[in-house]
Amino acid sequence: MKRPDVEVRTLSAHVGEEVTVTGWVGSTRVHGRVAFLDVRDGTGVVQAVVVKKQVAPTVWDAHAILTKESAVAVTGTVRVEPRAPGGHELEVSGLEVTGQASDYPIQPKEHGVDFLLDHRHLWLRSSLQWAGLRVRAEVEQAVHDFFYQRGFVRIDSPILTGAIGEHAGTLFQTDYFEEKAYLAQTGQLYGEAAAAAFRKIYTFGPTFRAEKSKTRRHLTEFWMVEPEVAFLDSEGNMRLQEELVSYLVERALERCADELELLERDTGKLGSVRPPFHRISYADAVARLAGMGREIEWGADLGAPDEVALTEGLDRPLFVYNYPKEVKAFYMKENPDDRRTALCNDCLAPEGHGEIVGGSQREDDLERLLARIREEGLPEEAYDWYLDLRRYGSFPHSGFGLGVERTVAWITGRPHVREMIPFPRLMNRLKP
Ligand code: 4AD
Ligand code: MG
């Protein structure tokens, strides 16, 4: 019977054995009668060594036709080799080419980013992309583990919706039989309904914003995790955020050390990310920014450069809390101590990454919520069910949304969110 293929990440358990590795050829080098092939199998990279006098002529000839990204099955004995990537090499006895590749478009040279995004289906194979998306997968798993351990129920909220979740300005609209539907900007409103049924819930899914901005922080489709907790106030909400964010960082440091090294992430900068995070009120943040010579007045939203300035040199994220109501969404609870502001916060990551989380206590007073819906000019009839939550046992509650791509960009130290999602959707990009 044919032995099963061995995954490269498990090679240390097979030292001295003859195994078969299946994967794709990276770089190849020939020194006279010895050839070296890097074989990538999706779990890691191993160096395969073909010695002409030790293999059948067909095997030696096969290596000669191997071009980058050809698919192969390589059989050989596993040896410890500290100088090889991954610490092992294969002393090749057999080599089968299962899929020849010719003229692979991505070459080891500088390519423009548009070219790389056009070839995203292939670019995924490149080591930095591979590493970044593995960190993403670990962070997503850590999100589930964090909430599962704390007894939260995962709720799948709809993607097609009739209610505007955040702002009217960035909606994707589609026909829905006789009606209009939008792609969800958030799962939050449904999360609030579920919090009254299950107490502690989270939603986790794709969300959509027709952002007409081309920045390194905006996608039109991004993934968001949104917990919602009954009887939690804004203060407790910030504590939950700092616990979650710290846990995600810790998990990446613990389980993605190899990936972060490949990405050349200075992990020392993540070592002190733990509660409590830094805190500043919006009013104090505006004063501090004005003191730095930035042009900002009370009432204006903070821009990306303001966020960068506020977090300059910080060892962990910063909460900016209680923004003016006008710059935030309609559902945020009015601050009883200063009615111009809402009980809300943004969580800003250091090193120039800016907002990774937005959260708030929700308006639980029916009349005030209705007034905000009217002030924003939102269609009241779409919110009748949402208002029911204030009619039938209204309760204080809070929640937040953590953007997966922005969080992973910060943890991996990569500048652009477009590399943090397998197939980014941008204003000018729907392909591949
Ligand atoms: O601050 P936002 O808009 O908050 C909400 O959607 C709330 N409903 C969340 C809640 O309270 N349940 O978005 C939350 C986070 C941001 O902090 C950011 O990380 C991410 O979602 N985000 C984006 N990420 C990538 N591209 C975009 N266009 C994003 N817009 C928001
Ligand atoms: Mg926000």
Side-chain angles (χ1 to χ4, degrees), residues 172-190:
F172 283 113
Q173 191 180 308
T174 180
D175 290 333
Y176 192 75
F177 308 105
E178 305 300 304
E179 287 180 77
K180 270 191 308 210
Y182 308 115
L183 296 183
Q185 295 176 315
T186 171
Q188 177 195 319
L189 308 194
Y190 300 96

PDB file of all heavy atoms in Angstrom, residues 172-190:
ATOM      1  N   PHE A 172     -24.266  49.251   0.236  1.00  0.00           N
ATOM      2  CA  PHE A 172     -24.438  48.519  -1.006  1.00  0.00           C
ATOM      3  C   PHE A 172     -25.894  48.109  -1.059  1.00  0.00           C
ATOM      4  O   PHE A 172     -26.395  47.446  -0.160  1.00  0.00           O
ATOM      5  CB  PHE A 172     -23.570  47.264  -1.037  1.00  0.00           C
ATOM      6  CG  PHE A 172     -22.131  47.533  -1.330  1.00  0.00           C
ATOM      7  CD1 PHE A 172     -21.162  47.321  -0.358  1.00  0.00           C
ATOM      8  CD2 PHE A 172     -21.736  48.002  -2.579  1.00  0.00           C
ATOM      9  CE1 PHE A 172     -19.825  47.564  -0.627  1.00  0.00           C
ATOM     10  CE2 PHE A 172     -20.395  48.248  -2.855  1.00  0.00           C
ATOM     11  CZ  PHE A 172     -19.438  48.027  -1.877  1.00  0.00           C
ATOM     12  N   GLN A 173     -26.573  48.516  -2.125  1.00  0.00           N
ATOM     13  CA  GLN A 173     -27.997  48.268  -2.234  1.00  0.00           C
ATOM     14  C   GLN A 173     -28.251  47.267  -3.342  1.00  0.00           C
ATOM     15  O   GLN A 173     -27.542  47.260  -4.342  1.00  0.00           O
ATOM     16  CB  GLN A 173     -28.682  49.590  -2.559  1.00  0.00           C
ATOM     17  CG  GLN A 173     -30.170  49.547  -2.459  1.00  0.00           C
ATOM     18  CD  GLN A 173     -30.752  50.905  -2.800  1.00  0.00           C
ATOM     19  OE1 GLN A 173     -30.349  51.922  -2.244  1.00  0.00           O
ATOM     20  NE2 GLN A 173     -31.679  50.913  -3.741  1.00  0.00           N
ATOM     21  N   THR A 174     -29.250  46.429  -3.148  1.00  0.00           N
ATOM     22  CA  THR A 174     -29.582  45.474  -4.191  1.00  0.00           C
ATOM     23  C   THR A 174     -31.090  45.279  -4.233  1.00  0.00           C
ATOM     24  O   THR A 174     -31.785  45.583  -3.256  1.00  0.00           O
ATOM     25  CB  THR A 174     -28.835  44.135  -3.957  1.00  0.00           C
ATOM     26  OG1 THR A 174     -29.174  43.224  -4.996  1.00  0.00           O
ATOM     27  CG2 THR A 174     -29.176  43.499  -2.622  1.00  0.00           C
ATOM     28  N   ASP A 175     -31.602  44.820  -5.359  1.00  0.00           N
ATOM     29  CA  ASP A 175     -33.042  44.545  -5.450  1.00  0.00           C
ATOM     30  C   ASP A 175     -33.349  43.282  -4.678  1.00  0.00           C
ATOM     31  O   ASP A 175     -32.611  42.307  -4.763  1.00  0.00           O
ATOM     32  CB  ASP A 175     -33.459  44.351  -6.916  1.00  0.00           C
ATOM     33  CG  ASP A 175     -33.392  45.661  -7.668  1.00  0.00           C
ATOM     34  OD1 ASP A 175     -33.545  46.719  -7.020  1.00  0.00           O
ATOM     35  OD2 ASP A 175     -33.155  45.630  -8.886  1.00  0.00           O
ATOM     36  N   TYR A 176     -34.450  43.320  -3.963  1.00  0.00           N
ATOM     37  CA  TYR A 176     -34.870  42.134  -3.233  1.00  0.00           C
ATOM     38  C   TYR A 176     -36.352  41.936  -3.517  1.00  0.00           C
ATOM     39  O   TYR A 176     -37.199  42.454  -2.813  1.00  0.00           O
ATOM     40  CB  TYR A 176     -34.598  42.313  -1.736  1.00  0.00           C
ATOM     41  CG  TYR A 176     -34.731  41.040  -0.953  1.00  0.00           C
ATOM     42  CD1 TYR A 176     -33.736  40.056  -1.023  1.00  0.00           C
ATOM     43  CD2 TYR A 176     -35.846  40.794  -0.178  1.00  0.00           C
ATOM     44  CE1 TYR A 176     -33.851  38.876  -0.326  1.00  0.00           C
ATOM     45  CE2 TYR A 176     -35.969  39.612   0.525  1.00  0.00           C
ATOM     46  CZ  TYR A 176     -34.972  38.659   0.447  1.00  0.00           C
ATOM     47  OH  TYR A 176     -35.091  37.497   1.147  1.00  0.00           O
ATOM     48  N   PHE A 177     -36.626  41.214  -4.598  1.00  0.00           N
ATOM     49  CA  PHE A 177     -38.002  41.056  -5.075  1.00  0.00           C
ATOM     50  C   PHE A 177     -38.645  42.432  -5.210  1.00  0.00           C
ATOM     51  O   PHE A 177     -38.127  43.255  -5.957  1.00  0.00           O
ATOM     52  CB  PHE A 177     -38.760  40.070  -4.176  1.00  0.00           C
ATOM     53  CG  PHE A 177     -37.988  38.768  -4.036  1.00  0.00           C
ATOM     54  CD1 PHE A 177     -37.294  38.458  -2.876  1.00  0.00           C
ATOM     55  CD2 PHE A 177     -37.897  37.893  -5.116  1.00  0.00           C
ATOM     56  CE1 PHE A 177     -36.559  37.289  -2.779  1.00  0.00           C
ATOM     57  CE2 PHE A 177     -37.156  36.722  -5.015  1.00  0.00           C
ATOM     58  CZ  PHE A 177     -36.495  36.423  -3.851  1.00  0.00           C
ATOM     59  N   GLU A 178     -39.701  42.725  -4.440  1.00  0.00           N
ATOM     60  CA  GLU A 178     -40.359  44.025  -4.596  1.00  0.00           C
ATOM     61  C   GLU A 178     -39.717  45.111  -3.737  1.00  0.00           C
ATOM     62  O   GLU A 178     -40.153  46.253  -3.750  1.00  0.00           O
ATOM     63  CB  GLU A 178     -41.851  43.923  -4.239  1.00  0.00           C
ATOM     64  CG  GLU A 178     -42.620  42.851  -5.026  1.00  0.00           C
ATOM     65  CD  GLU A 178     -42.580  43.111  -6.528  1.00  0.00           C
ATOM     66  OE1 GLU A 178     -42.975  44.199  -6.952  1.00  0.00           O
ATOM     67  OE2 GLU A 178     -42.119  42.208  -7.271  1.00  0.00           O
ATOM     68  N   GLU A 179     -38.701  44.713  -2.952  1.00  0.00           N
ATOM     69  CA  GLU A 179     -38.131  45.654  -1.988  1.00  0.00           C
ATOM     70  C   GLU A 179     -36.676  45.979  -2.310  1.00  0.00           C
ATOM     71  O   GLU A 179     -36.062  45.362  -3.175  1.00  0.00           O
ATOM     72  CB  GLU A 179     -38.125  45.018  -0.585  1.00  0.00           C
ATOM     73  CG  GLU A 179     -39.445  44.893   0.084  1.00  0.00           C
ATOM     74  CD  GLU A 179     -39.279  44.239   1.447  1.00  0.00           C
ATOM     75  OE1 GLU A 179     -38.838  44.940   2.376  1.00  0.00           O
ATOM     76  OE2 GLU A 179     -39.547  43.030   1.560  1.00  0.00           O
ATOM     77  N   LYS A 180     -36.129  46.874  -1.504  1.00  0.00           N
ATOM     78  CA  LYS A 180     -34.697  47.166  -1.546  1.00  0.00           C
ATOM     79  C   LYS A 180     -34.034  46.412  -0.402  1.00  0.00           C
ATOM     80  O   LYS A 180     -34.598  46.319   0.689  1.00  0.00           O
ATOM     81  CB  LYS A 180     -34.458  48.657  -1.306  1.00  0.00           C
ATOM     82  CG  LYS A 180     -34.455  49.497  -2.549  1.00  0.00           C
ATOM     83  CD  LYS A 180     -33.961  50.904  -2.256  1.00  0.00           C
ATOM     84  CE  LYS A 180     -34.683  51.584  -1.108  1.00  0.00           C
ATOM     85  NZ  LYS A 180     -34.789  53.018  -1.171  1.00  0.00           N
ATOM     86  N   ALA A 181     -32.865  45.896  -0.641  1.00  0.00           N
ATOM     87  CA  ALA A 181     -32.104  45.292   0.464  1.00  0.00           C
ATOM     88  C   ALA A 181     -30.713  45.907   0.468  1.00  0.00           C
ATOM     89  O   ALA A 181     -30.244  46.440  -0.544  1.00  0.00           O
ATOM     90  CB  ALA A 181     -32.009  43.787   0.280  1.00  0.00           C
ATOM     91  N   TYR A 182     -30.067  45.853   1.620  1.00  0.00           N
ATOM     92  CA  TYR A 182     -28.686  46.311   1.748  1.00  0.00           C
ATOM     93  C   TYR A 182     -27.818  45.149   2.199  1.00  0.00           C
ATOM     94  O   TYR A 182     -28.294  44.246   2.902  1.00  0.00           O
ATOM     95  CB  TYR A 182     -28.584  47.419   2.800  1.00  0.00           C
ATOM     96  CG  TYR A 182     -29.551  48.556   2.613  1.00  0.00           C
ATOM     97  CD1 TYR A 182     -30.554  48.804   3.539  1.00  0.00           C
ATOM     98  CD2 TYR A 182     -29.454  49.385   1.491  1.00  0.00           C
ATOM     99  CE1 TYR A 182     -31.445  49.850   3.375  1.00  0.00           C
ATOM    100  CE2 TYR A 182     -30.342  50.427   1.316  1.00  0.00           C
ATOM    101  CZ  TYR A 182     -31.337  50.660   2.262  1.00  0.00           C
ATOM    102  OH  TYR A 182     -32.215  51.686   2.082  1.00  0.00           O
ATOM    103  N   LEU A 183     -26.560  45.203   1.836  1.00  0.00           N
ATOM    104  CA  LEU A 183     -25.596  44.261   2.421  1.00  0.00           C
ATOM    105  C   LEU A 183     -25.237  44.805   3.800  1.00  0.00           C
ATOM    106  O   LEU A 183     -24.993  46.003   3.960  1.00  0.00           O
ATOM    107  CB  LEU A 183     -24.344  44.154   1.556  1.00  0.00           C
ATOM    108  CG  LEU A 183     -24.532  43.582   0.151  1.00  0.00           C
ATOM    109  CD1 LEU A 183     -23.172  43.473  -0.551  1.00  0.00           C
ATOM    110  CD2 LEU A 183     -25.204  42.206   0.212  1.00  0.00           C
ATOM    111  N   ALA A 184     -25.202  43.936   4.776  1.00  0.00           N
ATOM    112  CA  ALA A 184     -25.038  44.363   6.169  1.00  0.00           C
ATOM    113  C   ALA A 184     -23.742  45.145   6.386  1.00  0.00           C
ATOM    114  O   ALA A 184     -22.661  44.700   6.002  1.00  0.00           O
ATOM    115  CB  ALA A 184     -25.059  43.140   7.082  1.00  0.00           C
ATOM    116  N   GLN A 185     -23.880  46.315   7.003  1.00  0.00           N
ATOM    117  CA  GLN A 185     -22.690  47.081   7.424  1.00  0.00           C
ATOM    118  C   GLN A 185     -22.216  46.594   8.772  1.00  0.00           C
ATOM    119  O   GLN A 185     -21.113  46.883   9.212  1.00  0.00           O
ATOM    120  CB  GLN A 185     -23.053  48.564   7.564  1.00  0.00           C
ATOM    121  CG  GLN A 185     -23.445  49.238   6.271  1.00  0.00           C
ATOM    122  CD  GLN A 185     -23.890  50.671   6.525  1.00  0.00           C
ATOM    123  OE1 GLN A 185     -24.645  50.949   7.446  1.00  0.00           O
ATOM    124  NE2 GLN A 185     -23.397  51.590   5.709  1.00  0.00           N
ATOM    125  N   THR A 186     -23.096  45.890   9.474  1.00  0.00           N
ATOM    126  CA  THR A 186     -22.843  45.437  10.838  1.00  0.00           C
ATOM    127  C   THR A 186     -23.866  44.374  11.190  1.00  0.00           C
ATOM    128  O   THR A 186     -24.959  44.363  10.611  1.00  0.00           O
ATOM    129  CB  THR A 186     -22.963  46.628  11.819  1.00  0.00           C
ATOM    130  OG1 THR A 186     -22.913  46.127  13.168  1.00  0.00           O
ATOM    131  CG2 THR A 186     -24.280  47.376  11.660  1.00  0.00           C
ATOM    132  N   GLY A 187     -23.529  43.508  12.117  1.00  0.00           N
ATOM    133  CA  GLY A 187     -24.509  42.544  12.624  1.00  0.00           C
ATOM    134  C   GLY A 187     -25.130  43.018  13.927  1.00  0.00           C
ATOM    135  O   GLY A 187     -25.954  42.335  14.531  1.00  0.00           O
ATOM    136  N   GLN A 188     -24.708  44.195  14.349  1.00  0.00           N
ATOM    137  CA  GLN A 188     -25.001  44.661  15.712  1.00  0.00           C
ATOM    138  C   GLN A 188     -26.483  44.681  16.097  1.00  0.00           C
ATOM    139  O   GLN A 188     -26.851  44.221  17.179  1.00  0.00           O
ATOM    140  CB  GLN A 188     -24.418  46.059  15.906  1.00  0.00           C
ATOM    141  CG  GLN A 188     -24.725  46.652  17.271  1.00  0.00           C
ATOM    142  CD  GLN A 188     -24.459  48.134  17.295  1.00  0.00           C
ATOM    143  OE1 GLN A 188     -23.465  48.587  16.742  1.00  0.00           O
ATOM    144  NE2 GLN A 188     -25.329  48.895  17.927  1.00  0.00           N
ATOM    145  N   LEU A 189     -27.344  45.230  15.222  1.00  0.00           N
ATOM    146  CA  LEU A 189     -28.738  45.389  15.622  1.00  0.00           C
ATOM    147  C   LEU A 189     -29.361  44.032  15.923  1.00  0.00           C
ATOM    148  O   LEU A 189     -30.151  43.880  16.863  1.00  0.00           O
ATOM    149  CB  LEU A 189     -29.530  46.137  14.544  1.00  0.00           C
ATOM    150  CG  LEU A 189     -28.956  47.481  14.044  1.00  0.00           C
ATOM    151  CD1 LEU A 189     -30.006  48.242  13.253  1.00  0.00           C
ATOM    152  CD2 LEU A 189     -28.393  48.338  15.146  1.00  0.00           C
ATOM    153  N   TYR A 190     -28.967  43.038  15.141  1.00  0.00           N
ATOM    154  CA  TYR A 190     -29.450  41.674  15.385  1.00  0.00           C
ATOM    155  C   TYR A 190     -28.793  41.104  16.639  1.00  0.00           C
ATOM    156  O   TYR A 190     -29.408  40.350  17.388  1.00  0.00           O
ATOM    157  CB  TYR A 190     -29.170  40.797  14.163  1.00  0.00           C
ATOM    158  CG  TYR A 190     -29.863  41.356  12.937  1.00  0.00           C
ATOM    159  CD1 TYR A 190     -29.199  42.184  12.033  1.00  0.00           C
ATOM    160  CD2 TYR A 190     -31.217  41.097  12.734  1.00  0.00           C
ATOM    161  CE1 TYR A 190     -29.848  42.724  10.940  1.00  0.00           C
ATOM    162  CE2 TYR A 190     -31.883  41.637  11.644  1.00  0.00           C
ATOM    163  CZ  TYR A 190     -31.193  42.451  10.752  1.00  0.00           C
ATOM    164  OH  TYR A 190     -31.858  42.990   9.683  1.00  0.00           O
TER     165      TYR A 190
END
